[in-house]
């Protein structure tokens, strides 16, 4: 048989997370305390994070050991499969070889559980009994609810209102796992009430939902905050994806010329890409690394590299990152997880260093790619993941035009079974593709530093 | 680490399907031609099935070779994982060991693709370019649409109207794969028009949808019919599940005392159970085999063993099976796939021979079990599969009460991500549990033989 699936034994679940900060040619700019505007110290973050995660956020140590209990939990679905997309290659009639790492076999259907279980573990170890968080597409809220259930932690999820209304199946998943869901902006926080006073019809944003979740975590000693993307420790936890992929590509006797991931806050992209960037930096490899973002929320391709808050209310430390301004309100596209005003500071830094390319696509070409992929490979991708699929297909078509047999690897970060309303809308005549207008950027909301 | 997942290499994908008819202590009663009431011959079925499948329907040969192309396709997700449910065991505080075979890793999220791809393959080999079929819960229609796409066959799905309305995500999946969906009863067939004339508000049944699909297949030479359950060849194709499970239980150093599957038409139940019944019959094993059905459609526990039609219009051969009468209209429960008036003749025969036990449950205890399972094990089961989960939990609790450490194995035939409306309704105050009334049986619709 022609191999299409590369599986690793349980013993190949990584024992350590890979910290790309150890290999950076230039260090990142530090986060700043929002009051003093001085580099933030650990104690600035322990009000909402356990010290163990704050240490992971700040360290430049190359390998961080994964706790046994987390590895044991990973074993339910990890190592995840890596596929050769032979049927898609045939449909495209391309000389390129297309591989994809599939994170949809996790019980929640996406990569988010890789960090959710780690964060819930460290919080439980620190004696925390409640976690508050935000969710956009719903992938993260689902994952943290299950992780909280596993670790005996009560999870409260502020869900961006547009997703809350668009995605009842996501809410049902969160509630099935025992989590609690509030539509954001809500009247349960000062931040939410302020937004609602100014705009009662606000459909929310990740930046608003983060403000609400952080406010709750700061006001209660039993409660911490958990973030599903953006921060260094989240990128770190996701590196199990890339480490497994390195071994699986070796099984396939191949190595990628191009590595692709969709990028909202940056976590699934970083999870796959950082291991390959590390090889570029330390082993002389020359793999192209491509981050794909929605044209309506193009923080890498259109945003500026500047200090900004992670949330709308300005409760978080200021981080140097690619941003559209924390007051930016993205259009209500279906890929709800890719609607964040900023980009992971680590991903942004690598972009500035020229280690990463970025490209932006509208919704319709992404869903067209998702349907083509589903018909060939069977898996219906999550709306977010469709961005990576679009880019992978376009790279394969470029290879065809150029007559080159390159090796393409992308991250299929999740399946779309819980997001089929997006496909219904697509089948019923296409989705709106919001043209991005530079005037929509909220750069005047950037803080002075 | 404590092993929780048992994975087989690709080389352990079965090379043959197991035909339990070779090991039966007594032969099955033959199907009868609806006109002559004589045993049906192959030619009676070739109007709607390819000869290769008709032969599989009739043969008593023990092992049927799986075509290379079908095995290659299986390799995308097979061998599927077998799990030890250690977290559920802990929650239940039971001395029992609980294992489950998980078929939700197929790209369509259920076991149905095992037979869909085989049926599409044989039809393509016979030159067929269109398939018509019915679907209840939507699992089957989804699987056949993808299989048709893989084999270049156009798929037309008559979807029971109550599911068509309850499950828009299922329709979206079928359409994403390129299939066509009609709500049944429809005005596209004589059978549908008759039902609508008598009852314009009919929400349909599997028996009606089968009539519509068979009618189309009989009237067009380019079109065959495909059935997702009930028939011998469908049970046959599903035996890859049980064969893999035998090897995986051996890996675990264990052997089941009880094997459990939910049962509507019988296909996922048979897929897991037949291999173990085979060992009971030929190797002196004494595993209890339990079929679990919904209390509102209890063909095994309340129906009669009699010749009946597979559909409402009486277009199919008459099959000797457990039936509630082909005019029986089941209540509109969420486990749409378990709403068939009859039961696989092969499963029915084994029940009559005392090789199988059967038990019926209402919707609410099944969903309570599904939520308990999801919180412990992470996977949200399909509404159908919740019936098997309920029975497995009850067996584990019995073991606890009796202080016995038995080994329980059940088939988790699919995930519930596309059926979360059922969980929403459950969370919002419980589902109606329709008390079965023997007067609802339609035994006067049984044909004279």
């Amino acid at each position: 048989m022609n191999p299409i699936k590369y599986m690793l034994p349980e013993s190949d679940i990584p024992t350590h997370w890979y910290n790309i900060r150890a290999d950076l040619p230039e260090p990142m700019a530090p986060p700043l305390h929002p009051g003093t505007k001085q580099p933030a110290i650990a104690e600035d973050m322990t009000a909402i994070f356990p010290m163990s995660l704050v240490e992971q956020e700040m360290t430049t140590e190359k390998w961080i050991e994964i706790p046994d209990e987390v590895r044991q939990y990973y074993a339910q679905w990890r190592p995840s499969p890596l596929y050769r997309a032979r049927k898609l290659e045939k449909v495209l009639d391309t000389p390129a070889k297309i591989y994809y790492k599939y994170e949809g076999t996790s019980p929640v259907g996406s990569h988010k559980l890789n960090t959710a279980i780690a964060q819930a573990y460290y919080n439980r170890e620190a004696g925390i009994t409640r976690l508050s968080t935000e969710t956009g597409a719903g992938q993260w809220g689902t994952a943290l609810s299950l992780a909280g259930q596993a670790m005996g932690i009560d999870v409260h999820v502020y869900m961006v209102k547009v997703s809350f209304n668009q995605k009842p199946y996501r809410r049902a998943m969160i509630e099935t796992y025992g989590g609690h869901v509030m539509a954001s902006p809500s009247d349960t926080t000062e931040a939410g009430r302020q937004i609602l006073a100014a705009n009662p019809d606000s459909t929310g944003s990740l930046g608003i939902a983060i403000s609400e979740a952080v406010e709750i975590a700061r006001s209660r000693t039993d409660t911490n905050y958990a973030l599903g993307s953006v921060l260094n420790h989240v990128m770190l936890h996701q590196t199990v994806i890339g480490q497994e992929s390195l071994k699986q590509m070796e099984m396939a006797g191949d190595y990628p010329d191009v590595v692709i991931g969709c990028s909202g806050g940056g976590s699934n992209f970083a999870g796959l890409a950082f291991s390959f960037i590390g090889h570029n930096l330390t082993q002389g490899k020359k793999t192209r690394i491509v981050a794909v973002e929605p044209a309506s929320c193009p923080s890498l391709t259109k945003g500026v590299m500047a200090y900004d808050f992670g949330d709308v209310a300005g409760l978080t430390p200021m981080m140097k990152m690619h941003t559209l301004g924390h007051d930016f309100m993205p259009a209500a596209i279906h890929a709800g997880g890719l609607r964040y005003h900023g980009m992971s500071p680590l991903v942004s830094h690598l972009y500035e260093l020229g280690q990463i390319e970025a490209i932006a696509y509208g919704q319709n070409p992404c869903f067209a790619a998702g349907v083509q992929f589903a018909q060939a490979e069977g898996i219906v991708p999550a709306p977010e993941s469709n961005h990576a699929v679009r880019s992978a297909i376009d790279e394969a078509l470029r290879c065809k035009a150029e007559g080159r047999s390159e090796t393409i690897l992308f991250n299929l970060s999740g399946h779309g079974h819980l997001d089929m309303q997006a496909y219904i809308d697509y089948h019923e005549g296409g989705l709106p593709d919001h043209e991005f207008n530079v005037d929509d950027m909220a750069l005047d909301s950037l803080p002075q530093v």
Side-chain angles (χ1 to χ4, degrees), chain A:
Chain A
M1 298 202 291
N2 283 327
I4 56 165
K5 184 175 64 174
Y6 299 92
M7 297 297 288
L8 298 169
E10 200 166 286
S11 55
D12 275 331
I13 296 172
T15 56
H16 292 72
W17 291 302
Y18 165 59
N19 185 5
I20 198 170
R21 291 182 73 183
D23 291 329
L24 291 177
E26 290 175 33
M28 303 170 67
L32 302 182
H33 185 284
T36 66
K37 297 180 181 175
Q38 295 301 305
I41 56 172
E43 285 66 29
D44 295 337
M45 296 184 244
T46 50
I48 59 170
F49 295 116
M51 183 54 88
S52 46
L53 288 178
V54 172
E55 284 168 1
Q56 289 182 7
E57 187 64 22
M58 305 185 90
T59 185
T60 55
E61 206 180 310
K62 186 161 177 172
W63 298 104
I64 310 294
E65 190 168 9
I66 304 176
D68 281 347
E69 189 175 341
V70 173
R71 280 190 86 225
Q72 170 81 58
Y73 197 90
Y74 281 167
Q76 189 180 355
W77 76 100
R78 305 212 72 87
S80 67
L82 183 137
Y83 285 103
R84 170 94 180 263
R86 289 186 190 271
K87 287 173 277 187
L88 180 63
E89 290 170 16
K90 198 171 165 193
V91 169
L92 298 175
D93 188 25
T94 175
K97 288 177 279 183
I98 307 174
Y99 295 85
Y100 58 99
K101 177 72 166 170
Y102 184 41
E103 289 291 306
T105 58
S106 96
V108 297
S110 84
H111 69 294
K112 291 289 187 188
L113 197 54
N114 296 327
T115 183
I117 195 67
Q119 292 189 47
Y121 168 84
Y122 288 115
N123 274 289
R124 186 203 63 193
E125 292 296 287
I128 288 296
T129 56
R130 277 174 56 134
L131 281 170
S132 69
T133 195
E134 75 295 324
T135 200
Q139 303 272 21
W140 169 243
T142 309
L144 192 69
S145 294
L146 176 57
Q149 179 63 239
M151 296 292 167
I153 292 176
D154 214 21
V155 174
H156 294 253
V157 182
Y158 287 89
M159 187 168 188
V160 177
K161 197 175 276 176
V162 61
S163 288
F164 183 91
N165 292 328
Q166 262 179 357
K167 301 190 168 188
Y169 281 27
R170 281 281 170 199
R171 279 153 43 205
M173 281 285 279
I174 295 171
E175 287 167 359
T176 297
Y177 290 141
H180 310 276
V181 191
M182 281 75 57
S184 168
S186 79
D187 60 5
T188 66
T189 65
E190 186 54 34
R193 285 188 293 269
Q194 279 183 18
I195 297 283
L196 288 173
N199 178 9
D201 298 327
S202 169
T203 56
S205 73
L206 276 169
I208 294 169
I210 293 173
S211 290
E212 294 205 86
V214 169
E215 182 183 320
I216 295 289
R218 278 161 53 142
S219 67
R220 295 179 58 115
T221 54
D222 63 349
T223 303
N224 266 348
Y225 168 68
L227 186 62
S229 195
V230 180
L231 298 179
N232 299 340
H233 68 271
V234 181
M235 307 295 128
L236 180 77
H237 299 157
Q238 293 294 354
T239 59
V240 291
I241 301 172
Q243 292 185 66
E244 289 175 7
S245 298
L246 278 171
K247 286 193 184 174
Q248 288 163 312
M249 290 304 299
E250 204 177 311
M251 280 176 80
D254 216 335
Y255 194 87
D257 298 300
V258 191
V259 164
I260 298 167
C262 66
S263 197
S267 79
N268 92 75
F269 167 75
L272 177 65
F274 280 9
S275 295
F276 291 93
I277 299 175
H279 278 215
N280 283 354
L281 290 168
T282 65
Q283 299 191 17
K285 298 283 189 184
K286 296 190 181 306
T287 299
R288 287 175 53 219
I289 310 287
V290 182
V292 191
E293 57 185 14
S296 59
C297 194
S299 56
L300 277 178
T301 53
K302 304 275 186 183
V304 298
M305 184 72 175
Y307 271 104
D308 197 2
F309 294 107
D311 70 319
V312 165
L315 301 179
T316 70
M318 293 183 280
M319 296 174 289
K320 195 163 186 188
M321 60 181 177
H322 264 262
T323 178
L324 300 162
H326 63 266
D327 279 349
F328 174 73
M329 287 296 297
I333 59 167
H334 273 292
L338 305 183
R339 295 173 68 249
Y340 185 61
H341 67 274
M343 175 57 66
S344 151
L346 200 38
V347 171
S348 300
H349 183 62
L350 286 160
Y351 185 63
E352 290 297 303
L353 292 175
Q355 295 293 327
I356 294 173
E357 303 169 30
I359 187 169
Y361 284 108
Q363 293 195 94
N364 282 301
C366 292
F367 274 84
V371 170
Q372 189 171 34
F373 181 85
Q375 295 194 354
E377 296 290 318
I379 300 167
V380 177
E384 296 79 24
S385 312
N386 279 343
H387 292 72
V389 177
R390 174 77 271 161
S391 173
I393 288 176
D394 283 359
E395 292 286 342
L397 293 175
R398 174 188 58 74
C399 288
K400 182 180 178 180
E402 298 175 356
R404 297 162 67 98
S405 173
E406 292 182 16
T407 295
I408 299 163
L409 168 63
F410 72 95
N411 195 2
L412 190 66
S413 57
H415 65 61
H417 295 164
L418 289 151
D419 304 297
M420 293 306 296
Q421 188 59 49
Y423 284 88
I424 294 171
D425 295 349
Y426 174 72
H427 292 312
E428 287 176 355
L431 307 164
D433 262 328
H434 309 273
E435 204 60 44
F436 181 76
N437 189 329
V438 289
D439 297 337
D440 294 338
M441 286 204 280
L443 299 184
D444 51 356
S445 68
L446 292 178
Q448 299 292 325
V449 290

